[in-house]
Amino acid sequence: MNREMLIKLWQAHKNDEWPHVETGQEGPLMTLDTVISGCVVYVLDGEEDLDEQRRAIVSDCLAELDTLEIEINDECRSYFGRLREIGTLLLITT
């Protein structure tokens, strides 16, 4: 089930440390992480599906992550790859 995978990935994400990110990318990536994380909490704590506005926001975050991910260093890839997977699961689970 996608929800179970979302919970598993979310737990791993919460337990991971923020990666070392290039200075110019840190702010935008931190914002994406915060927004997607907020949507996860909304879904898991309230056990509600994302509304259309939140779905659009997550979709926009994933598109921006596509752009920024090209430039991140290898040590950050697993962290933001997992964030991408969490965002994608949010869209297909809810």
Side-chain angles (χ1 to χ4, degrees):
M1 170 186 251
N2 290 332
R3 189 173 183 85
E4 292 171 3
M5 180 59 82
L6 179 62
I7 292 168
K8 180 180 174 182
L9 288 171
W10 176 237
Q11 289 300 322
H13 198 70
K14 288 191 319 182
N15 292 329
D16 204 356
E17 292 183 25
W18 179 256
H20 175 71
V21 179
E22 298 296 322
T23 306
Q25 298 169 327
E26 189 165 30
L29 288 168
M30 193 174 287
T31 299
L32 295 175
D33 187 57
T34 300
V35 171
I36 292 173
S37 295
C39 288
V40 172
V41 171
Y42 176 84
V43 168
L44 295 181
D45 286 356
E47 296 189 21
E48 297 181 38
D49 290 346
L50 292 180
D51 54 37
E52 285 306 310
Q53 182 179 5
R54 286 180 178 88
R55 291 178 65 76
I57 290 168
V58 171
S59 291
D60 289 347
C61 286
L62 291 175
E64 189 170 344
L65 190 55
D66 281 342
T67 303
L68 293 172
E69 206 171 29
I70 294 168
E71 302 173 20
I72 64 173
N73 60 38
D74 288 339
E75 66 185 73
C76 297
R77 289 205 187 278
S78 66
Y79 185 92
F80 293 106
R82 183 179 53 237
L83 183 63
R84 165 185 306 298
E85 195 171 352
I86 288 169
T88 301
L89 280 172
L90 277 173
L91 294 178
I92 62 174
T93 300
T94 61

